[in-house]
Amino acid sequence: MTTETIRTSEAASESGEVRAPRKVFVKTYGCQMNVYDSQRMADVLAADGYSAADNAEDADLVLLNTCHIREKAAEKVYSELGRLRRMKEERAARGADLVIGVTGCVAQAEGEEIIRRQPAVDLVIGPQSYHRIANVVRGARGGTRQVETDFPAEDKFEHLPKPDARATRARGVTAFLTVQEGCDKFCTFCVVPYTRGAEVSRPVGQIVAEAERLAESGVREVTLLGQNVNAWHGEGPDGTAWGLGRLLFRLAEIPGIDRLRYTTSHPRDMDDTLIAAHRDLGALMPYLHLPVQAGSDAVLKAMNRKHTGDDYRRLVERIRAARPDIALSGDFIVGFPGETDADFEETLRIIRDVTYAQAFSFKYSPRPGTPGADRDDQVETAVKDERLQRLQALLNEQQEIFARSLVGREMDVLIEKRGRKAGQRVGRSPWLQPVICDENDGEIGDIVRVRINEAGPNSLFGTKV
Ligand code: SAH
Ligand code: SF4
Ligand code: F3S
């Protein structure tokens, strides 16, 4: 594997004197996988003597773990880099240093270009090289700018340190666990196959061991992550082929792991065993993020989603038959190239047919290198704005109806943390909503039976039964 290096004029400032312990601040953008990755990078650096800082001001290494999914997300990084450059200059004036790194999907997509646009950046490292980050940082501190965006042949996860028990405890009673990374689906709007590479599944043994360690450090709810998490596949201990459903059953056997979730799923990878897990596995929470993106068959085809609106409706019916109280969430894109008013109406129609408890919706953003960006029938911004507004009005209405439907009902709530107000605890409902309760209702890590008294715009309020 190669490490591309660019010599800089700045001299190394390692003088060998005893210095204060180094501190790293990682700022995370984008999806949950970036949240997970930021923690893994912090673990690698902790093994190299770095403790965690709460903000950039207190750190001598700042990493921006970036997202490339939409133009806005990627551009945010450059404004933050401008701010860090000024901080670096101020420090240099008083003889202190600041190492600036860019990681994540912008790092992968733009590589060296980032340093060209912002010369204050010392290192750029893509998601497949995080196990090497301590070396890369040392190289940068030695005065050589580092750009590492290869897809190395070695297994990153094998080389990442195990999640640190103390750090995990401090991180709380819920945790993410990446089981699958990358994507082979190539939806025509999406950069993920380019930034995260080909679909890779982690082996069963590695995943079980990581989940066991999480359980030992007090985690009670694990969310399995993957860009297409339900495409995960592996070989079980008995030599048979396992899909995500089998894996979930295995993880539920771990003492202490009481709740399981997974995200994000692709409709084409919801197989029978996984649907059966929703019926038979109590630990699997009745909540599923299952993006459909659009409702019109023509748009779905142009997006290369490889299913129709009715395929999706039938799938949702099967899932609901298995687990009647399941709530769905989704992602939607408005204004994909060529989307007509009639196509957009089909998106509204599928939302009305399916009904969502939660949803994320976006204006189509043409991304360099994706087929959608090259099309000459882009939709005007004003049209996208108007469609997004209508879509969000409908989704908000559904979200409210769902939250209100829970008032008066009893449910198990995992107490997660102290509330913002004294005397409050914040828990999590099976449907992922924050539930505000009284501190006497339970300790952090307890799962308590709660009756919901009220539904606010972003959270529920309840009392222990
Ligand atoms: N693997 C997941 C999605 C990952 S990206 C899936 O297949 O569903 C998260 C969401 O960002 C997508 O579901 C999509 O709604 C949105 N998105 C991706 N590329 C986009 C683009 N170019 N413009 C606008 N939204 C986009
Ligand atoms: Fe992107 Fe499509 Fe892969 Fe999801 S399935 S990550 S939207 S290419
Ligand atoms: Fe963004 Fe990369 Fe996640 S592009 S959404 S951080 S996989």
Side-chain angles (χ1 to χ4, degrees):
M1 87 166 272
T2 57
T3 302
E4 197 180 337
T5 55
I6 305 168
R7 292 288 326 167
T8 67
S9 51
E10 289 154 55
S13 63
E14 304 293 63
S15 57
E17 91 240 38
V18 184
R19 48 167 80 244
R22 294 202 186 275
K23 286 196 147 191
V24 56
F25 176 63
V26 189
K27 182 161 181 172
T28 309
Y29 301 82
C31 64
Q32 288 114 323
M33 193 170 286
N34 266 9
V35 175
Y36 175 85
D37 289 344
S38 291
Q39 294 176 346
R40 290 287 76 74
M41 283 190 274
D43 290 339
V44 178
L45 291 163
D48 211 43
Y50 282 85
S51 56
D54 295 330
N55 51 57
E57 284 72 16
D58 293 340
D60 43 25
L61 168 63
V62 175
L63 300 174
L64 301 185
N65 194 13
T66 61
C67 174
H68 199 246
I69 202 83
R70 286 166 291 275
E71 193 181 353
K72 247 203 211 143
E75 284 307 313
K76 253 193 234 161
V77 174
Y78 286 99
S79 53
E80 184 63 17
L81 285 175
R83 197 176 78 83
L84 291 173
R85 189 204 59 185
R86 288 189 291 281
M87 195 186 289
K88 186 174 182 163
E89 287 165 354
E90 283 159 23
R91 285 202 202 174
R94 44 186 172 86
D97 64 353
L98 174 64
V99 174
I100 303 173
V102 177
T103 68
C105 292
V106 178
Q108 188 61 46
E110 297 185 6
E112 237 175 84
E113 176 63 23
I114 297 171
I115 294 181
R116 239 171 265 135
R117 266 183 81 174
Q118 182 44 273
V121 172
D122 301 287
L123 64 103
V124 174
I125 177 165
Q128 298 315 318
S129 306
Y130 291 159
H131 54 302
R132 300 180 38 84
I133 193 159
N135 291 335
V136 172
V137 169
R138 259 187 256 128
R141 281 206 185 281
T144 311
R145 284 209 185 118
Q146 310 277 318
V147 178
E148 185 151 328
T149 52
D150 287 353
F151 287 104
E154 76 228 27
D155 177 5
K156 167 179 69 172
F157 291 105
E158 251 328 306
H159 291 83
L160 282 170
K162 316 300 169 216
D164 178 69
R166 258 199 340 235
T168 307
R169 194 159 288 128
R171 283 166 194 159
V173 295
T174 60
F176 294 131
L177 199 176
T178 294
V179 299
Q180 179 281 329
E181 189 171 357
C183 181
D184 296 338
K185 296 254 182 333
F186 290 93
C187 301
T188 53
F189 51 82
C190 184
V191 292
V192 170
Y194 311 96
T195 64
R196 293 278 171 169
E199 214 172 271
V200 177
S201 293
R202 290 178 72 184
V204 175
Q206 238 183 41
I207 296 167
V208 171
E210 187 163 329
E212 282 172 348
R213 270 193 309 275
L214 290 171
E216 281 157 23
S217 59
V219 169
R220 303 204 65 185
E221 176 178 306
V222 174
T223 302
L224 307 183
L225 298 182
Q227 265 88 35
N228 273 306
V229 70
N230 54 345
W232 179 88
H233 55 93
E235 192 185 299
D238 54 354
T240 59
W242 280 19
L244 190 69
R246 278 296 279 127
L247 181 68
L248 286 162
F249 276 101
R250 173 65 188 88
L251 294 175
E253 289 170 9
I254 299 173
I257 300 292
D258 298 314
R259 292 178 152 200
L260 291 165
R261 305 175 185 276
Y262 60 91
T263 197
T264 297
S265 317
H266 194 288
R268 279 171 33 98
D269 293 316
M270 287 301 299
D271 66 21
D272 293 342
T273 320
L274 186 53
I275 295 176
H278 280 285
R279 184 190 59 217
D280 301 329
L281 189 58
L284 184 56
M285 292 293 99
Y287 182 90
L288 177 63
H289 187 63
L290 193 66
V292 68
Q293 313 296 354
S296 134
D297 289 346
V299 173
L300 285 169
K301 186 154 197 275
M303 287 178 163
N304 196 31
R305 295 290 291 185
K306 298 209 172 88
H307 63 76
T308 64
D310 282 344
D311 292 338
Y312 182 87
R313 287 181 180 85
R314 278 191 292 269
L315 174 62
V316 168
E317 252 169 54
R318 283 171 55 217
I319 298 167
R320 285 210 166 115
R323 182 78 203 230
D325 67 343
I326 203 161
L328 291 182
S329 80
D331 292 344
F332 299 91
I333 295 177
V334 299
F336 185 79
E339 184 185 75
T340 63
D341 284 334
D343 289 326
F344 174 65
E345 291 300 328
E346 284 297 292
T347 301
L348 296 178
R349 190 166 72 88
I350 205 164
I351 293 171
R352 282 192 204 100
D353 291 348
V354 172
T355 69
Y356 292 88
Q358 258 280 5
F360 304 89
S361 46
F362 314 98
K363 285 183 269 183
Y364 170 69
S365 168
R367 304 307 287 133
T370 61
D374 295 334
R375 288 182 50 157
D376 51 19
D377 50 356
Q378 302 290 329
V379 173
E380 272 173 59
T381 308
V383 175
K384 287 188 206 171
D385 284 336
E386 196 251 349
R387 287 181 189 166
L388 188 67
Q389 251 180 34
R390 286 182 60 201
L391 183 93
Q392 289 184 338
L394 176 60
L395 290 167
N396 288 343
E397 192 184 299
Q398 293 192 344
Q399 187 175 335
E400 243 181 81
I401 292 172
F402 177 71
R404 265 191 275 124
S405 76
L406 299 175
V407 174
R409 277 180 57 182
E410 283 180 20
M411 63 183 69
D412 289 334
V413 170
L414 170 60
I415 306 290
E416 256 193 294
K417 55 188 176 199
R418 290 208 172 86
R420 241 175 288 155
K421 290 191 195 141
Q424 280 185 344
R425 290 275 183 277
V426 185
R428 200 181 269 208
S429 83
W431 301 281
L432 219 48
Q433 299 128 309
V435 182
I436 318 287
C437 346
D438 187 87
E439 62 182 347
N440 299 318
D441 287 348
E443 288 307 311
I444 292 167
D446 289 350
I447 294 176
V448 290
R449 196 78 190 155
V450 165
R451 179 178 291 109
I452 301 303
N453 311 317
E454 198 190 323
N458 300 306
S459 38
L460 303 172
F461 297 85
T463 320
K464 187 178 172 186
V465 187

